Amino acid sequence: MTETKEGAPAGVVVREGDYGARVAAVEPGGVGFIPLDQRHGRPLNLLWTWTSPNLEFATVFLGVLAVAAFGLTFWQATAAIVAGTLLGSATHAVLSARGPRYGVPEMVLGRVPFGHRGNMLPSAINSVAGGVGWFAVNSVSGSLALNTLTGMPKPLCLAIVVALQAGVAFFGHNLVHAYERYAFPVLAVVFGIASLIILAKADFGEPAPEGAGAGGIGAFLIVVGASFGYAAGWNPYAADYTRYLPATTSPRAAGLWAGLGVFAGCTVLQIVGAASATLGGKALADPTGAFTGHLPSLVANLTLLVIAIGAVGANAINIYSGSMSFVATGIRLPLPVRLQRALVAGAFGAVGLVVAYFGLDDAGHDYEAFLLVIAYWIGPWLGVVLADLVLRRGVWSARAADARVDAMVFDVRRRSWAGPAAMAAAVVVSVWLFSNQEKYVGIVPSHHPSFGDITFAVGFVLAAVLYAVLRKVPGFRENG
């Protein structure tokens, strides 16, 4: 279905169906432009939309890793966490600000620098990373917390958590926002009490636990990268949750509240996780048990409950945006167009259930492996996207130029191979040279361990530079 958007050329794909602000309804359509009469909400809502999904155990565990796995002191870990999270939150704010004006998901806006076909690369990666990867990681933490709290078998707990997550994502945008809104006060109060208890007990001058990493600048850079990756992991979803806001919404307000939500949720619980690691316990072998073991029984039980609630909130977003990214690839499925996104969300839930099931018995190492490498693709993707924003300042910033952006987004004949080429090359080169993980150590840190892991930073800069150069080279130059 196509309609003419005011100020845009004919041919702009408009999301079909009547949805409005209804919560108990399945969101119709796919990744088309949200009609102006369907817009609703206010920027402040983004504060809890982005704080709630970060009030969950994976956030805590990243702080635990900084001390228990990499050997940083509490204060070193705190500095690394704040630096990395601030960067990822700032980029989230920039991308979120575009949603109200253009009315389409983040991965659809990516067609501008990546072209219609080239955009399949980041869209496909994001659909797997969000709809399966993040989904499995958070499902495991939620199910383990429910298992510890109730004593029910782990597979049953996993099935319950997955059903709730997939159900919210299946209904779509409005129910996701509503869940995060009503979960926010519960999560904030319980995690707030638990955080105060942990911080009161912590020994901020305690050296890293015996058996942890060597610490130093290398470990510091790894934690900065991991914290950036954790916050920036939401970046490919940014406009998904602002595209329903009225077109007159202030971009600055939308970006501010979205970025603040990510920063507040990530920073506080990562710092608390770092503090908990100074108290001892089997932080890596039994993550949820070790954390709640430092709390009084009533608070511990409530914390286990909100860990499960937080996992549902995080994964409702992961599955929803993962399915949105899949639809944005342009892959045609033999499904009703109105229900394609919803049915894909259900399919991701099923796949994620299987992946999470095999991670139940080694949660700590699975957390670590995933959390530390997620920034490897996001850094280069961001490099391309932000470089394009800078190079097209007139197009993206002037309202009179909206029609040009719409044409680039919705023209299926549009080609721009500079974006995918720059991103792919940056991922390969940065990982090959600078990765510093258990399963692979790149050339530079293998000879100079003090470099730590600067893969995300190198990937970001390299992708931005390559994109700026390649977009002028014949064969890579865009045709739209």
Side-chain angles (χ1 to χ4, degrees):
M1 174 182 178
T2 60
E3 296 179 3
T4 300
K5 171 189 169 188
E6 182 181 354
V12 169
V13 178
V14 179
R15 197 222 62 208
E16 63 180 20
D18 183 29
Y19 185 48
R22 290 183 299 162
V23 174
V26 176
E27 180 184 6
V31 295
F33 170 79
I34 305 302
L36 299 183
D37 63 355
Q38 298 283 302
R39 304 293 188 91
H40 59 275
R42 53 183 183 149
L44 178 61
N45 296 341
L46 298 168
L47 177 62
W48 39 76
T49 295
W50 287 114
T51 302
S52 292
N54 288 300
L55 297 180
E56 48 107 20
F57 193 71
T59 313
V60 174
F61 190 69
L62 190 54
V64 172
L65 286 175
V67 175
F70 300 117
L72 296 181
T73 67
F74 171 81
W75 294 112
Q76 290 170 340
T78 296
I81 287 166
V82 170
T85 305
L86 185 61
L87 290 172
S89 302
T91 53
H92 191 75
V94 170
L95 300 182
S96 295
R98 303 186 299 171
R101 180 170 166 188
Y102 295 105
V104 293
E106 188 63 47
M107 281 296 151
V108 174
L109 287 173
R111 292 172 181 169
V112 175
F114 285 92
H116 206 276
R117 290 186 179 177
N119 194 53
M120 292 183 69
L121 174 64
S123 295
I125 293 175
N126 192 49
S127 65
V128 174
V132 178
W134 275 115
F135 173 76
V137 167
N138 291 323
S139 295
V140 169
S141 66
S143 61
L144 290 178
L146 193 59
N147 163 258
T148 304
L149 178 63
T150 65
M152 293 189 298
K154 291 180 182 179
L156 176 58
C157 293
L158 178 62
I160 293 172
V161 170
V162 168
L164 290 171
Q165 295 166 162
V168 174
F170 179 85
F171 277 87
H173 178 274
N174 292 346
L175 185 55
V176 172
H177 273 287
Y179 181 93
E180 308 300 351
R181 177 180 180 180
Y182 291 109
F184 175 71
V186 178
L187 294 168
V189 169
V190 176
F191 270 124
I193 294 171
S195 297
L196 290 174
I197 293 172
I198 293 292
L199 292 172
K201 291 183 175 182
D203 184 351
F204 301 132
E206 180 75 11
E210 184 177 351
I217 186 62
F220 182 86
L221 292 175
I222 289 177
V223 176
V224 170
S227 297
F228 166 79
Y230 192 82
W234 302 113
N235 287 184
Y237 309 164
D240 298 7
Y241 301 92
T242 57
R243 75 193 201 280
Y244 273 86
L245 291 173
T248 55
T249 299
S250 164
R252 181 174 298 178
L256 173 65
W257 289 115
L260 184 60
V262 171
F263 182 77
C266 289
T267 304
V268 172
L269 284 193
Q270 284 179 44
I271 291 173
V272 171
S276 73
T278 68
L279 300 176
K282 299 179 180 179
L284 300 181
D286 180 19
T288 54
F291 181 74
T292 57
H294 302 305
L295 302 171
S297 58
L298 175 60
V299 178
N301 288 336
L302 289 173
T303 301
L304 289 169
L305 178 61
V306 297
I307 286 173
I309 293 173
V312 172
N315 274 345
I317 284 182
N318 285 320
I319 305 175
Y320 176 77
S321 285
S323 63
M324 194 73 67
S325 295
F326 181 85
V327 176
T329 64
I331 297 174
R332 303 281 185 180
L333 297 177
L335 300 171
V337 175
R338 284 175 58 90
L339 294 176
Q340 186 165 139
R341 184 221 45 89
L343 294 174
V344 170
F348 276 146
V351 174
L353 172 64
V354 175
V355 175
Y357 175 78
F358 289 102
L360 284 174
D361 294 326
D362 193 19
H365 285 95
D366 288 343
Y367 280 166
E368 182 177 351
F370 186 79
L371 292 174
L372 295 178
V373 302
I374 190 63
Y376 284 4
W377 82 270
I378 292 176
W381 172 79
L382 268 177
V384 171
V385 170
L386 296 183
D388 185 76
L389 285 175
V390 171
L391 294 170
R392 296 184 197 272
R393 282 192 300 270
V395 174
W396 285 106
S397 62
R399 182 165 292 279
D402 282 358
R404 292 176 58 191
V405 174
D406 288 335
M408 288 186 279
V409 166
F410 293 107
D411 183 0
V412 297
R413 299 166 299 175
R414 175 178 165 72
R415 302 290 181 268
S416 179
W417 295 112
M423 175 181 165
V427 169
V428 171
V429 172
S430 62
V431 171
W432 172 54
L433 291 177
F434 293 99
S435 175
N436 191 5
Q437 305 299 334
E438 182 179 341
K439 296 186 182 299
Y440 175 73
V441 178
I443 293 176
V444 174
S446 66
H447 292 88
H448 305 282
S450 61
F451 268 88
D453 191 333
I454 57 173
T455 308
F456 85 95
V458 172
F460 175 88
V461 173
L462 182 58
V465 172
L466 284 174
Y467 176 71
V469 173
L470 289 176
R471 67 197 298 267
K472 298 181 179 297
V473 175
F476 292 96
R477 187 180 299 145
E478 59 192 43
N479 69 348

